[in-house]
Amino acid sequence: MPKSIAIIRTVSDLRDQVATWKKQGYRVGLVPTMGALHTGHLSLVETLKSHADKIIVSIFVNPTQFAAHEDLDTYPRTEAEDCAKLSRIGADLAYIPSAAEIYPAGFASTLHIGGPSHGLESAARPHFFDGVAIVVHKLFQQTQADTAIFGEKDYQQLLVIKKMVRDLDVPISIVSGAIIREADGLAMSSRNAYLTDENRIIAGRLNGILTRLANSDLPAPQAEAEAEAALREAGFTAVDYATIRDAETLALPDMTTKARRALIVARIGDIRLLDNMPAK
Ligand code: PAF
């Protein structure tokens, strides 16, 4: 039986533990999550092990990144299962703060990161990156981690966090984690649990359409229009975007673009599915 993972719920206990590790010369890594852990999260833990000696996994369903109509109340909360998975994989600490530990009474601050936060996810979820930025900045401050990892599945989020660290001189190094996929290519996500059997089949078609977009020889507007038509044909009920962008800034590619990224967000009813990959 693996040893049960230690759980800490307050900033002061967290600070004590991290100070002890740092005195012992350990490099501390953070994997920020909202719980409902799947193989994708566990692979982030595994990847970060080669960048840090001690791994903290935070589990906090962050209210400020949900709009009023979104799934904050129904978002899957599976603490016992999450901790069992983290124990098996050998993470060192689960940090599971209450809402008051992150947002104490009277909390009145916001954090807006510009640049890559413009457009794409922000068009559908204007509140989202401000909520992510404030909670991630707080988690960095609270844990004092030396390094943290974010999955490429939320590619725009990864770029926003990197921008925050650069613009605000946060002393932490950011590692990116590869997208982990199901056998049919569907990117793993806690929200995949919402899919019915029928919708799961439709969802499995997303990655093939993204792969064609990323490798298309057509001019970008034409390739994007084809991807959008293919998504509708495949059963997606709405397409938020199917686009090729500059991989570093998420602006439309131009002569200065060094690398391109294909990104798709498509919906089945009110479930939004995200995927992305490097483009030609
Ligand atoms: O990607 C997520 O799960 C969340 O946006 C994060 C980074 C844990 C912030 O709440």
Side-chain angles (χ1 to χ4, degrees):
M1 275 278 285
K3 198 161 112 289
S4 290
I5 189 162
I7 300 176
I8 280 182
R9 297 185 191 275
T10 65
V11 183
S12 65
D13 287 352
L14 178 66
R15 284 265 168 89
D16 288 349
Q17 176 61 85
V18 172
T20 305
W21 281 337
K22 289 199 169 178
K23 250 188 252 139
Q24 293 166 338
Y26 291 126
R27 187 172 160 82
V28 176
L30 171 68
V31 185
T33 81
M34 299 206 300
L37 301 182
H38 50 67
T39 311
H41 294 112
L42 302 182
S43 96
L44 296 179
V45 174
E46 285 296 359
T47 304
L48 200 61
K49 279 183 184 172
S50 54
H51 299 261
D53 308 302
K54 295 288 177 187
I55 306 287
I56 304 172
V57 179
S58 63
I59 298 179
F60 180 65
V61 183
N62 173 36
T64 61
Q65 68 191 74
F66 289 77
H69 64 277
E70 291 180 347
D71 55 345
L72 174 63
D73 294 338
T74 52
Y75 196 85
R77 286 164 173 84
T78 55
E79 182 179 314
E81 292 91 327
D82 290 348
C83 288
K85 287 177 188 166
L86 294 176
S87 305
R88 278 199 294 276
I89 197 177
D92 297 283
L93 177 65
Y95 174 49
I96 313 183
S98 65
E101 204 65 22
I102 301 283
Y103 300 114
F107 188 87
S109 299
T110 53
L111 181 55
H112 179 74
I113 306 300
S117 71
H118 291 301
L120 303 179
E121 284 307 281
S122 292
R125 310 181 73 195
H127 58 283
F128 180 68
F129 288 118
D130 288 4
V132 168
I134 193 81
V135 78
V136 168
H137 195 274
K138 291 210 59 158
L139 290 167
F140 288 174
Q141 293 292 114
Q142 293 186 346
T143 59
Q144 301 282 301
D146 300 296
T147 180
I149 188 165
F150 293 83
E152 287 186 346
K153 181 176 153 277
D154 296 297
Y155 189 77
Q156 190 175 7
Q157 170 174 277
L158 170 66
L159 295 190
V160 171
I161 303 295
K162 285 184 172 170
K163 183 83 179 140
M164 173 179 84
V165 164
R166 263 199 317 276
D167 282 4
L168 305 185
D169 301 311
V170 186
I172 193 164
S173 76
I174 303 300
V175 175
S176 61
I179 299 177
I180 305 299
R181 302 179 179 285
E182 307 282 358
D184 61 359
L186 179 65
M188 289 197 184
S189 162
S190 305
R191 289 188 170 105
N192 290 350
Y194 298 154
L195 293 165
T196 60
D197 289 352
E198 193 187 335
N199 289 345
R200 174 65 188 79
I201 293 170
I202 298 171
R205 298 173 184 144
L206 178 61
N207 188 247
I209 297 169
L210 175 70
T211 306
R212 281 200 294 285
L213 172 63
N215 294 296
S216 177
D217 291 320
L218 295 171
Q222 217 174 314
E224 291 166 358
E226 273 196 3
E228 187 164 339
L231 288 162
R232 289 181 190 281
E233 176 77 9
F236 290 88
T237 52
V239 181
D240 285 12
Y241 49 87
T243 186
I244 308 262
R245 295 295 174 107
D246 182 300
E248 280 169 27
T249 62
L250 292 183
L252 291 170
D254 61 19
M255 299 298 283
T256 65
T257 296
K258 292 195 202 80
R260 305 191 321 156
R261 195 96 187 170
L263 304 104
I264 291 183
V265 172
R267 302 186 193 225
I268 309 174
D270 52 13
I271 304 171
R272 295 177 83 241
L273 295 162
L274 291 73
D275 202 353
N276 67 85
M277 65 174 59
K280 285 215 296 204

